[in-house]
Amino acid sequence: MGIYEDLYPVFYPESVAVVGASNQFRKSGFFCMESIIYRGKYKGKIYPINHSAPEVFGLKSYPTLSDVPDKIDLVIITVPAPAVLDVIEECGKCNVKGAVIITAGFKEAEAETGKQLQEDIIKTANHYGIKIIGPNTFGVVNPLADLNASFTSTLSDMEKGDIAFISQSGGMCHFFSYITMDDNIGLSKVMSLGNRCNVEFVDLLKFLEKEDATKVIALYLEGIDNPRGLFEAAKKIVRIKPVVAYKGGSAKGMDHLTCSHTGTLAGNFEMYNGMFRQAGIALAENSTELFDIAKIFSLARTPQSKRIAVCSPIAGPGIVMTDTLIKNGMDITKFTDHTINRLTKLLPPFTFRYNPIDMPFTQDIETISAVIDCVLADEDVDSLGFIMCQQEMFTPLNSGIAHALVGAKNKYNKPVAVAMIAQAYKFHSERLYLQNNSIPVYPTPERTARALTALSEYGEIIHS
Amino acid sequence: MGIYEDLYPVFYPESVAVVGASNQFRKSGFFCMESIIYRGKYKGKIYPINHSAPEVFGLKSYPTLSDVPDKIDLVIITVPAPAVLDVIEECGKCNVKGAVIITAGFKEAEAETGKQLQEDIIKTANHYGIKIIGPNTFGVVNPLADLNASFTSTLSDMEKGDIAFISQSGGMCHFFSYITMDDNIGLSKVMSLGNRCNVEFVDLLKFLEKEDATKVIALYLEGIDNPRGLFEAAKKIVRIKPVVAYKGGSAKGMDHLTCSHTGTLAGNFEMYNGMFRQAGIALAENSTELFDIAKIFSLARTPQSKRIAVCSPIAGPGIVMTDTLIKNGMDITKFTDHTINRLTKLLPPFTFRYNPIDMPFTQDIETISAVIDCVLADEDVDSLGFIMCQQEMFTPLNSGIAHALVGAKNKYNKPVAVAMIAQAYKFHSERLYLQNNSIPVYPTPERTARALTALSEYGEIIHS
């Protein structure tokens, strides 16, 4: 069997048992139960395992895994570290396919016993062919299967989408999930690998490569045990779907920290960066950018090249966007004569008719729509960065502008991204409409520019 | 008279006239009227000037400035460019102190006539001693005087605060205002200088230096006519109040753009950067950071040095924050033996008791409060970066953590900043409570780290 078949029951289990399931608030077995039963979303069978309680969360509970009368695909383990090995042994006997070990206190702990315990778990799991996520993980969320095998029930609210997030850190899973949920973007997976027993980044990449529903892979990593394997896997995957990565713990002197986190050295940042770049992985410079790039990969079509146009009703943010694009190596393309002639007819004097277009005096939707069409029609333009603004003169136009952007994007099949200079709660329906129609919206010109750059760089990779 | 006295009537006028005031939606004279009368906030006298209408927005209107029976401090001009010079001449005769010229089509326009027109306006204004903001400006907002002399009435909703924002771009004024309003932070001024006739960055710096209510100055600039003057003024001001600047149009080949924007060359980025740094101005790398740094300057006390502690209930974001701090030159201080002894007694095994502190297994508020106290008590710690997290185990603790942070901050008088890993709409009252108590809250570990770095660098400057 391949890695896809091996991991499939972990992400799409027909039944789940929670070992250490508890009615007691504050226990992780409580939170994991809360997640798995959350609003009845998960449709598979759920078996709480608890030595004494007859029922947990109102479900019949079993003293041990062996007492469960049916087959179990996935086991979520929350019992203390010293008890975990026996549970894995029992998993093997019950023909369990995968286990998520929430429990901490293994390789990452200070004591040597933790390290040995983890080694023993790996041996047993490999003997029985059980795939282990963790230990020391917050868990796994698979919105596509309505599965929340983590200790954070809020993440059950996540929408289904096509971005998979793989992380070395549960905390960063929370960050990524929340920023995504705030933006009405869906995910296809969220998983924290924790200490990694027999499931590594490279295994998950290979799984996600084969999962058609996942279109984009986002990674947060601190250090990896097998950089070469990751490199080879990524190189192959990026031809099929884009990968974006953010590397934590890259400053000097961080190794002792990342090691105490999930038992891995952070490794040489420059080495990783060079390797990622060579593999065609987009590099995020911070956690926000990791999301921004994953989002544009998910929503927008990949352009042919770095030739871009910028269009703004307000000069300053247009200058900032252009500035950032140039610094990031984008090509602020020269419009064709045909385009400039059309623009000259459309725009009033005082208006900058070259790229970037600044059109503060254009306040009718017909002209703005014509300008957008004209720019995207230009054969030397492969993408467009557009500024929208909350301002009493433009506010009434924004709905029409959104409509024009979607229309022209569909007509010319070129990616468009919008920087929305507005209060956060404004233009909710315009934002949704744009994003539902493959035009990502960002709150600053710089973030828009960085996302468009990553998209164009990916375009150059796959079109080369 | 000094610049403070000269500019005072512009920012604190007892009466305002709007030349070109209009009842017609879409005219800038309409929007400026909307701003100045907004909900009756401005308590001075308002005189619409309109050649034909007897009333504008229900207020008695006058055909010309000379027809107004009372004195006028500030005139907002929205009539077309060719008519502006006559209005300035009339302002002079009516003893008007200042004018905000919204109208565009001067030095920034393609035609030579615009340039000449601006020269003539400068001559006339200087002859009469009228201070001009603009032309080609979105205007000026002074929440401290309930004055909105701009074409964007939404900005009247801005809270009073102690950050002044001076910008070369009206668009960036909107960005800065909205991000500030979204975060319940107040401002003391928002102003776009536009083409700059006889009021330059340096004049406003000098005005704000003397205005006690302004504690922080934030600048967005593209190019300046008198860099040396700005340098000298800033050097003096930063001893009294912090200044943070963001430079747009710094990529190569941007000069033609910034010139068409407000008639100024962008100039050499490295030269500006070096000059700013030497003057003690904090440098923002993007528009979000401009706000983040201004915010921490406004809220938090300035620390003595770069020695910082990091504390997190979830490892990943703590590692990211530490990583960013180290890259930015901060000193992740070594705790004293006394602190480590106290922490060892407080924290369970598996917990990283050194700096940064990772305490995923600490779920009682007494221990967390004691850890916070212990860290801020350390004589080698001058500031603290703290991670808060929306997670079912920690969510019930967040209110108590906020309380502990405020208590310890007040006790030891050291700045604290929080990265809140949560959905945007969560913990609203905790965020407000923290910020109202001088603890800025940011949505990512990196933004928190960058802000704390700028604050500490400023601390080193003023304590050196």
Side-chain angles (χ1 to χ4, degrees), chain A residues 26 152 154 178 182 246 250-251 287 323 363 390-392 446, chain B residues 26 152 154 178 246 251 287 323 327 363 390-392 424 446:
Chain A
R26 283 284 165 100
T152 303
T154 306
Y178 295 145
D182 281 344
Y246 176 43
S250 51
S287 48
D323 201 20
Q363 285 171 39
Q390 173 187 352
Q391 201 288 318
E392 279 66 0
E446 295 96 331
Chain B
R26 283 284 164 99
T152 303
T154 305
Y178 295 145
Y246 176 43
S287 48
D323 200 21
K327 282 184 198 157
Q363 286 172 39
Q390 173 187 351
Q391 202 287 318
E392 279 65 2
E446 295 96 331

PDB file of all heavy atoms in Angstrom, chain A residues 26 152 154 178 182 246 250-251 287 323 363 390-392 446, chain B residues 26 152 154 178 246 251 287 323 327 363 390-392 424 446:
ATOM      1  N   ARG A  26     -11.407  20.613  31.625  1.00  0.00           N
ATOM      2  CA  ARG A  26      -9.986  20.864  31.829  1.00  0.00           C
ATOM      3  C   ARG A  26      -9.110  19.674  31.426  1.00  0.00           C
ATOM      4  O   ARG A  26      -7.924  19.836  31.217  1.00  0.00           O
ATOM      5  CB  ARG A  26      -9.632  21.247  33.288  1.00  0.00           C
ATOM      6  CG  ARG A  26      -9.976  22.676  33.648  1.00  0.00           C
ATOM      7  CD  ARG A  26      -8.960  23.631  33.054  1.00  0.00           C
ATOM      8  NE  ARG A  26      -9.438  24.995  33.067  1.00  0.00           N
ATOM      9  CZ  ARG A  26      -9.089  25.911  33.972  1.00  0.00           C
ATOM     10  NH1 ARG A  26      -8.247  25.601  34.919  1.00  0.00           N
ATOM     11  NH2 ARG A  26      -9.565  27.129  33.893  1.00  0.00           N
ATOM     12  N   THR A 152      -9.313  21.408  20.091  1.00  0.00           N
ATOM     13  CA  THR A 152      -9.910  22.743  19.957  1.00  0.00           C
ATOM     14  C   THR A 152     -11.200  22.662  19.148  1.00  0.00           C
ATOM     15  O   THR A 152     -11.180  22.606  17.917  1.00  0.00           O
ATOM     16  CB  THR A 152      -8.917  23.709  19.283  1.00  0.00           C
ATOM     17  OG1 THR A 152      -7.720  23.727  20.065  1.00  0.00           O
ATOM     18  CG2 THR A 152      -9.481  25.112  19.215  1.00  0.00           C
ATOM     19  N   THR A 154     -13.524  24.780  18.533  1.00  0.00           N
ATOM     20  CA  THR A 154     -13.847  25.925  17.675  1.00  0.00           C
ATOM     21  C   THR A 154     -13.512  25.640  16.218  1.00  0.00           C
ATOM     22  O   THR A 154     -14.181  26.123  15.307  1.00  0.00           O
ATOM     23  CB  THR A 154     -13.029  27.165  18.114  1.00  0.00           C
ATOM     24  OG1 THR A 154     -13.260  27.394  19.497  1.00  0.00           O
ATOM     25  CG2 THR A 154     -13.417  28.398  17.332  1.00  0.00           C
ATOM     26  N   TYR A 178      -7.609  30.578  12.520  1.00  0.00           N
ATOM     27  CA  TYR A 178      -8.416  31.754  12.868  1.00  0.00           C
ATOM     28  C   TYR A 178      -8.359  32.818  11.777  1.00  0.00           C
ATOM     29  O   TYR A 178      -9.370  33.412  11.417  1.00  0.00           O
ATOM     30  CB  TYR A 178      -7.952  32.348  14.210  1.00  0.00           C
ATOM     31  CG  TYR A 178      -8.163  31.430  15.394  1.00  0.00           C
ATOM     32  CD1 TYR A 178      -7.260  31.398  16.454  1.00  0.00           C
ATOM     33  CD2 TYR A 178      -9.268  30.583  15.458  1.00  0.00           C
ATOM     34  CE1 TYR A 178      -7.451  30.557  17.544  1.00  0.00           C
ATOM     35  CE2 TYR A 178      -9.464  29.736  16.540  1.00  0.00           C
ATOM     36  CZ  TYR A 178      -8.551  29.727  17.582  1.00  0.00           C
ATOM     37  OH  TYR A 178      -8.746  28.894  18.655  1.00  0.00           O
ATOM     38  N   ASP A 182     -11.632  34.000   9.838  1.00  0.00           N
ATOM     39  CA  ASP A 182     -11.987  35.425   9.827  1.00  0.00           C
ATOM     40  C   ASP A 182     -12.246  35.916   8.410  1.00  0.00           C
ATOM     41  O   ASP A 182     -13.009  36.853   8.193  1.00  0.00           O
ATOM     42  CB  ASP A 182     -10.841  36.272  10.410  1.00  0.00           C
ATOM     43  CG  ASP A 182     -10.816  36.249  11.930  1.00  0.00           C
ATOM     44  OD1 ASP A 182     -11.831  35.854  12.529  1.00  0.00           O
ATOM     45  OD2 ASP A 182      -9.784  36.629  12.513  1.00  0.00           O
ATOM     46  N   TYR A 246       6.671  28.658   5.664  1.00  0.00           N
ATOM     47  CA  TYR A 246       7.225  29.650   6.595  1.00  0.00           C
ATOM     48  C   TYR A 246       8.070  28.890   7.597  1.00  0.00           C
ATOM     49  O   TYR A 246       7.646  27.891   8.159  1.00  0.00           O
ATOM     50  CB  TYR A 246       6.089  30.402   7.288  1.00  0.00           C
ATOM     51  CG  TYR A 246       6.526  31.390   8.348  1.00  0.00           C
ATOM     52  CD1 TYR A 246       7.613  32.242   8.145  1.00  0.00           C
ATOM     53  CD2 TYR A 246       5.832  31.493   9.553  1.00  0.00           C
ATOM     54  CE1 TYR A 246       7.996  33.160   9.115  1.00  0.00           C
ATOM     55  CE2 TYR A 246       6.204  32.410  10.526  1.00  0.00           C
ATOM     56  CZ  TYR A 246       7.290  33.237  10.307  1.00  0.00           C
ATOM     57  OH  TYR A 246       7.662  34.140  11.267  1.00  0.00           O
ATOM     58  N   SER A 250      14.456  30.624  12.947  1.00  0.00           N
ATOM     59  CA  SER A 250      15.566  30.719  12.010  1.00  0.00           C
ATOM     60  C   SER A 250      16.680  31.642  12.489  1.00  0.00           C
ATOM     61  O   SER A 250      17.753  31.665  11.918  1.00  0.00           O
ATOM     62  CB  SER A 250      15.060  31.161  10.642  1.00  0.00           C
ATOM     63  OG  SER A 250      14.265  32.302  10.757  1.00  0.00           O
ATOM     64  N   ALA A 251      16.431  32.394  13.558  1.00  0.00           N
ATOM     65  CA  ALA A 251      17.492  33.249  14.089  1.00  0.00           C
ATOM     66  C   ALA A 251      18.547  32.376  14.768  1.00  0.00           C
ATOM     67  O   ALA A 251      18.296  31.228  15.124  1.00  0.00           O
ATOM     68  CB  ALA A 251      16.916  34.252  15.082  1.00  0.00           C
ATOM     69  N   SER A 287       3.990  35.032   9.409  1.00  0.00           N
ATOM     70  CA  SER A 287       2.825  34.151   9.460  1.00  0.00           C
ATOM     71  C   SER A 287       1.642  34.718   8.680  1.00  0.00           C
ATOM     72  O   SER A 287       0.867  33.963   8.088  1.00  0.00           O
ATOM     73  CB  SER A 287       2.439  33.877  10.915  1.00  0.00           C
ATOM     74  OG  SER A 287       2.385  35.071  11.656  1.00  0.00           O
ATOM     75  N   ASP A 323       5.595  50.288  -5.521  1.00  0.00           N
ATOM     76  CA  ASP A 323       6.886  50.265  -4.849  1.00  0.00           C
ATOM     77  C   ASP A 323       7.223  48.856  -4.357  1.00  0.00           C
ATOM     78  O   ASP A 323       8.316  48.326  -4.596  1.00  0.00           O
ATOM     79  CB  ASP A 323       6.754  51.216  -3.646  1.00  0.00           C
ATOM     80  CG  ASP A 323       8.080  51.703  -3.139  1.00  0.00           C
ATOM     81  OD1 ASP A 323       9.060  51.640  -3.903  1.00  0.00           O
ATOM     82  OD2 ASP A 323       8.130  52.151  -1.988  1.00  0.00           O
ATOM     83  N   GLN A 363     -15.040  59.261 -11.453  1.00  0.00           N
ATOM     84  CA  GLN A 363     -16.042  58.870 -10.472  1.00  0.00           C
ATOM     85  C   GLN A 363     -17.296  58.306 -11.114  1.00  0.00           C
ATOM     86  O   GLN A 363     -18.363  58.334 -10.516  1.00  0.00           O
ATOM     87  CB  GLN A 363     -16.391  60.057  -9.577  1.00  0.00           C
ATOM     88  CG  GLN A 363     -15.300  60.345  -8.569  1.00  0.00           C
ATOM     89  CD  GLN A 363     -15.553  61.638  -7.831  1.00  0.00           C
ATOM     90  OE1 GLN A 363     -16.675  61.956  -7.492  1.00  0.00           O
ATOM     91  NE2 GLN A 363     -14.502  62.388  -7.596  1.00  0.00           N
ATOM     92  N   GLN A 390     -12.586  53.046   0.860  1.00  0.00           N
ATOM     93  CA  GLN A 390     -13.761  53.590   1.534  1.00  0.00           C
ATOM     94  C   GLN A 390     -13.591  55.097   1.592  1.00  0.00           C
ATOM     95  O   GLN A 390     -12.767  55.619   2.334  1.00  0.00           O
ATOM     96  CB  GLN A 390     -13.850  53.019   2.955  1.00  0.00           C
ATOM     97  CG  GLN A 390     -14.953  53.650   3.794  1.00  0.00           C
ATOM     98  CD  GLN A 390     -14.907  53.188   5.236  1.00  0.00           C
ATOM     99  OE1 GLN A 390     -14.146  52.294   5.584  1.00  0.00           O
ATOM    100  NE2 GLN A 390     -15.711  53.804   6.089  1.00  0.00           N
ATOM    101  N   GLN A 391     -14.322  55.779   0.756  1.00  0.00           N
ATOM    102  CA  GLN A 391     -14.250  57.238   0.727  1.00  0.00           C
ATOM    103  C   GLN A 391     -15.569  57.676   0.134  1.00  0.00           C
ATOM    104  O   GLN A 391     -16.039  57.076  -0.841  1.00  0.00           O
ATOM    105  CB  GLN A 391     -13.046  57.694  -0.115  1.00  0.00           C
ATOM    106  CG  GLN A 391     -12.569  59.102   0.183  1.00  0.00           C
ATOM    107  CD  GLN A 391     -13.540  60.137  -0.347  1.00  0.00           C
ATOM    108  OE1 GLN A 391     -14.041  59.997  -1.439  1.00  0.00           O
ATOM    109  NE2 GLN A 391     -13.818  61.163   0.456  1.00  0.00           N
ATOM    110  N   GLU A 392     -16.152  58.698   0.699  1.00  0.00           N
ATOM    111  CA  GLU A 392     -17.516  59.065   0.343  1.00  0.00           C
ATOM    112  C   GLU A 392     -17.750  59.149  -1.170  1.00  0.00           C
ATOM    113  O   GLU A 392     -18.844  58.865  -1.649  1.00  0.00           O
ATOM    114  CB  GLU A 392     -17.890  60.381   1.030  1.00  0.00           C
ATOM    115  CG  GLU A 392     -18.315  60.216   2.492  1.00  0.00           C
ATOM    116  CD  GLU A 392     -17.212  59.744   3.440  1.00  0.00           C
ATOM    117  OE1 GLU A 392     -16.071  59.517   2.995  1.00  0.00           O
ATOM    118  OE2 GLU A 392     -17.495  59.576   4.635  1.00  0.00           O
ATOM    119  N   GLU A 446       0.744  46.526   0.473  1.00  0.00           N
ATOM    120  CA  GLU A 446       1.950  45.693   0.537  1.00  0.00           C
ATOM    121  C   GLU A 446       1.601  44.210   0.549  1.00  0.00           C
ATOM    122  O   GLU A 446       2.249  43.409  -0.119  1.00  0.00           O
ATOM    123  CB  GLU A 446       2.777  46.030   1.788  1.00  0.00           C
ATOM    124  CG  GLU A 446       3.358  47.435   1.798  1.00  0.00           C
ATOM    125  CD  GLU A 446       2.476  48.408   2.561  1.00  0.00           C
ATOM    126  OE1 GLU A 446       1.239  48.190   2.596  1.00  0.00           O
ATOM    127  OE2 GLU A 446       3.012  49.372   3.126  1.00  0.00           O
TER     128      GLU A 446
ATOM    129  N   ARG B  26     -21.609  64.421  -5.044  1.00  0.00           N
ATOM    130  CA  ARG B  26     -20.503  64.153  -5.962  1.00  0.00           C
ATOM    131  C   ARG B  26     -19.540  65.327  -6.085  1.00  0.00           C
ATOM    132  O   ARG B  26     -18.421  65.157  -6.520  1.00  0.00           O
ATOM    133  CB  ARG B  26     -20.965  63.762  -7.392  1.00  0.00           C
ATOM    134  CG  ARG B  26     -21.470  62.350  -7.526  1.00  0.00           C
ATOM    135  CD  ARG B  26     -20.304  61.383  -7.533  1.00  0.00           C
ATOM    136  NE  ARG B  26     -20.734  60.020  -7.275  1.00  0.00           N
ATOM    137  CZ  ARG B  26     -20.926  59.096  -8.217  1.00  0.00           C
ATOM    138  NH1 ARG B  26     -20.697  59.386  -9.471  1.00  0.00           N
ATOM    139  NH2 ARG B  26     -21.307  57.893  -7.889  1.00  0.00           N
ATOM    140  N   THR B 152     -13.729  63.616   3.654  1.00  0.00           N
ATOM    141  CA  THR B 152     -14.181  62.291   4.093  1.00  0.00           C
ATOM    142  C   THR B 152     -14.850  62.384   5.456  1.00  0.00           C
ATOM    143  O   THR B 152     -14.182  62.440   6.491  1.00  0.00           O
ATOM    144  CB  THR B 152     -12.993  61.312   4.136  1.00  0.00           C
ATOM    145  OG1 THR B 152     -12.392  61.279   2.840  1.00  0.00           O
ATOM    146  CG2 THR B 152     -13.445  59.913   4.508  1.00  0.00           C
ATOM    147  N   THR B 154     -16.526  60.293   7.220  1.00  0.00           N
ATOM    148  CA  THR B 154     -16.357  59.146   8.126  1.00  0.00           C
ATOM    149  C   THR B 154     -15.301  59.431   9.190  1.00  0.00           C
ATOM    150  O   THR B 154     -15.395  58.954  10.315  1.00  0.00           O
ATOM    151  CB  THR B 154     -15.908  57.900   7.326  1.00  0.00           C
ATOM    152  OG1 THR B 154     -16.837  57.669   6.283  1.00  0.00           O
ATOM    153  CG2 THR B 154     -15.828  56.669   8.210  1.00  0.00           C
ATOM    154  N   TYR B 178      -8.390  54.418   9.237  1.00  0.00           N
ATOM    155  CA  TYR B 178      -9.271  53.256   9.372  1.00  0.00           C
ATOM    156  C   TYR B 178      -8.659  52.188  10.277  1.00  0.00           C
ATOM    157  O   TYR B 178      -9.336  51.613  11.120  1.00  0.00           O
ATOM    158  CB  TYR B 178      -9.589  52.660   7.994  1.00  0.00           C
ATOM    159  CG  TYR B 178     -10.384  53.583   7.094  1.00  0.00           C
ATOM    160  CD1 TYR B 178     -10.172  53.609   5.721  1.00  0.00           C
ATOM    161  CD2 TYR B 178     -11.350  54.442   7.618  1.00  0.00           C
ATOM    162  CE1 TYR B 178     -10.901  54.455   4.893  1.00  0.00           C
ATOM    163  CE2 TYR B 178     -12.079  55.295   6.795  1.00  0.00           C
ATOM    164  CZ  TYR B 178     -11.848  55.296   5.431  1.00  0.00           C
ATOM    165  OH  TYR B 178     -12.566  56.131   4.623  1.00  0.00           O
ATOM    166  N   TYR B 246       7.389  56.156   7.501  1.00  0.00           N
ATOM    167  CA  TYR B 246       7.353  55.160   6.430  1.00  0.00           C
ATOM    168  C   TYR B 246       7.545  55.912   5.126  1.00  0.00           C
ATOM    169  O   TYR B 246       6.905  56.916   4.871  1.00  0.00           O
ATOM    170  CB  TYR B 246       6.012  54.421   6.442  1.00  0.00           C
ATOM    171  CG  TYR B 246       5.813  53.423   5.313  1.00  0.00           C
ATOM    172  CD1 TYR B 246       6.833  52.558   4.920  1.00  0.00           C
ATOM    173  CD2 TYR B 246       4.590  53.335   4.656  1.00  0.00           C
ATOM    174  CE1 TYR B 246       6.636  51.639   3.900  1.00  0.00           C
ATOM    175  CE2 TYR B 246       4.384  52.409   3.638  1.00  0.00           C
ATOM    176  CZ  TYR B 246       5.413  51.570   3.262  1.00  0.00           C
ATOM    177  OH  TYR B 246       5.213  50.661   2.248  1.00  0.00           O
ATOM    178  N   ALA B 251      11.444  52.324  -4.353  1.00  0.00           N
ATOM    179  CA  ALA B 251      12.061  51.455  -5.359  1.00  0.00           C
ATOM    180  C   ALA B 251      12.610  52.315  -6.494  1.00  0.00           C
ATOM    181  O   ALA B 251      12.228  53.467  -6.667  1.00  0.00           O
ATOM    182  CB  ALA B 251      11.041  50.459  -5.893  1.00  0.00           C
ATOM    183  N   SER B 287       3.057  49.820   5.770  1.00  0.00           N
ATOM    184  CA  SER B 287       2.056  50.720   6.340  1.00  0.00           C
ATOM    185  C   SER B 287       1.453  50.162   7.631  1.00  0.00           C
ATOM    186  O   SER B 287       1.120  50.923   8.538  1.00  0.00           O
ATOM    187  CB  SER B 287       0.963  51.008   5.308  1.00  0.00           C
ATOM    188  OG  SER B 287       0.508  49.823   4.705  1.00  0.00           O
ATOM    189  N   ASP B 323      12.108  34.496  17.647  1.00  0.00           N
ATOM    190  CA  ASP B 323      12.852  34.506  16.398  1.00  0.00           C
ATOM    191  C   ASP B 323      12.890  35.915  15.794  1.00  0.00           C
ATOM    192  O   ASP B 323      13.948  36.432  15.418  1.00  0.00           O
ATOM    193  CB  ASP B 323      12.101  33.554  15.452  1.00  0.00           C
ATOM    194  CG  ASP B 323      12.942  33.063  14.314  1.00  0.00           C
ATOM    195  OD1 ASP B 323      14.178  33.103  14.436  1.00  0.00           O
ATOM    196  OD2 ASP B 323      12.368  32.632  13.299  1.00  0.00           O
ATOM    197  N   LYS B 327      16.121  38.463  15.369  1.00  0.00           N
ATOM    198  CA  LYS B 327      16.481  39.000  14.046  1.00  0.00           C
ATOM    199  C   LYS B 327      16.491  40.520  14.049  1.00  0.00           C
ATOM    200  O   LYS B 327      17.184  41.148  13.259  1.00  0.00           O
ATOM    201  CB  LYS B 327      15.484  38.510  12.997  1.00  0.00           C
ATOM    202  CG  LYS B 327      15.708  37.085  12.550  1.00  0.00           C
ATOM    203  CD  LYS B 327      14.720  36.761  11.428  1.00  0.00           C
ATOM    204  CE  LYS B 327      14.591  35.269  11.231  1.00  0.00           C
ATOM    205  NZ  LYS B 327      13.304  34.934  10.581  1.00  0.00           N
ATOM    206  N   GLN B 363      -2.391  25.710  33.610  1.00  0.00           N
ATOM    207  CA  GLN B 363      -3.756  26.116  33.315  1.00  0.00           C
ATOM    208  C   GLN B 363      -4.473  26.695  34.518  1.00  0.00           C
ATOM    209  O   GLN B 363      -5.698  26.691  34.572  1.00  0.00           O
ATOM    210  CB  GLN B 363      -4.545  24.939  32.743  1.00  0.00           C
ATOM    211  CG  GLN B 363      -4.155  24.632  31.313  1.00  0.00           C
ATOM    212  CD  GLN B 363      -4.792  23.357  30.824  1.00  0.00           C
ATOM    213  OE1 GLN B 363      -5.934  23.078  31.128  1.00  0.00           O
ATOM    214  NE2 GLN B 363      -4.042  22.577  30.080  1.00  0.00           N
ATOM    215  N   GLN B 390      -6.732  31.955  21.851  1.00  0.00           N
ATOM    216  CA  GLN B 390      -8.091  31.431  21.900  1.00  0.00           C
ATOM    217  C   GLN B 390      -7.999  29.919  21.764  1.00  0.00           C
ATOM    218  O   GLN B 390      -7.685  29.401  20.688  1.00  0.00           O
ATOM    219  CB  GLN B 390      -8.912  32.015  20.748  1.00  0.00           C
ATOM    220  CG  GLN B 390     -10.301  31.392  20.610  1.00  0.00           C
ATOM    221  CD  GLN B 390     -11.014  31.865  19.359  1.00  0.00           C
ATOM    222  OE1 GLN B 390     -10.549  32.767  18.685  1.00  0.00           O
ATOM    223  NE2 GLN B 390     -12.136  31.249  19.045  1.00  0.00           N
ATOM    224  N   GLN B 391      -8.190  29.243  22.861  1.00  0.00           N
ATOM    225  CA  GLN B 391      -8.127  27.782  22.847  1.00  0.00           C
ATOM    226  C   GLN B 391      -8.944  27.351  24.052  1.00  0.00           C
ATOM    227  O   GLN B 391      -8.830  27.957  25.120  1.00  0.00           O
ATOM    228  CB  GLN B 391      -6.666  27.313  22.937  1.00  0.00           C
ATOM    229  CG  GLN B 391      -6.438  25.904  22.424  1.00  0.00           C
ATOM    230  CD  GLN B 391      -6.997  24.873  23.375  1.00  0.00           C
ATOM    231  OE1 GLN B 391      -6.859  24.983  24.577  1.00  0.00           O
ATOM    232  NE2 GLN B 391      -7.673  23.858  22.827  1.00  0.00           N
ATOM    233  N   GLU B 392      -9.751  26.337  23.870  1.00  0.00           N
ATOM    234  CA  GLU B 392     -10.726  25.975  24.897  1.00  0.00           C
ATOM    235  C   GLU B 392     -10.124  25.889  26.305  1.00  0.00           C
ATOM    236  O   GLU B 392     -10.796  26.177  27.293  1.00  0.00           O
ATOM    237  CB  GLU B 392     -11.416  24.665  24.504  1.00  0.00           C
ATOM    238  CG  GLU B 392     -12.546  24.841  23.481  1.00  0.00           C
ATOM    239  CD  GLU B 392     -12.106  25.333  22.105  1.00  0.00           C
ATOM    240  OE1 GLU B 392     -10.897  25.533  21.877  1.00  0.00           O
ATOM    241  OE2 GLU B 392     -12.979  25.544  21.251  1.00  0.00           O
ATOM    242  N   ALA B 424     -10.831  37.388  15.040  1.00  0.00           N
ATOM    243  CA  ALA B 424     -10.790  38.847  15.181  1.00  0.00           C
ATOM    244  C   ALA B 424     -11.872  39.376  16.121  1.00  0.00           C
ATOM    245  O   ALA B 424     -11.672  40.374  16.804  1.00  0.00           O
ATOM    246  CB  ALA B 424     -10.904  39.505  13.810  1.00  0.00           C
ATOM    247  N   GLU B 446       4.872  38.332  15.113  1.00  0.00           N
ATOM    248  CA  GLU B 446       5.873  39.145  14.427  1.00  0.00           C
ATOM    249  C   GLU B 446       5.589  40.633  14.591  1.00  0.00           C
ATOM    250  O   GLU B 446       6.503  41.425  14.817  1.00  0.00           O
ATOM    251  CB  GLU B 446       5.914  38.810  12.925  1.00  0.00           C
ATOM    252  CG  GLU B 446       6.382  37.397  12.612  1.00  0.00           C
ATOM    253  CD  GLU B 446       5.215  36.448  12.429  1.00  0.00           C
ATOM    254  OE1 GLU B 446       4.149  36.679  13.054  1.00  0.00           O
ATOM    255  OE2 GLU B 446       5.364  35.479  11.669  1.00  0.00           O
TER     256      GLU B 446
END
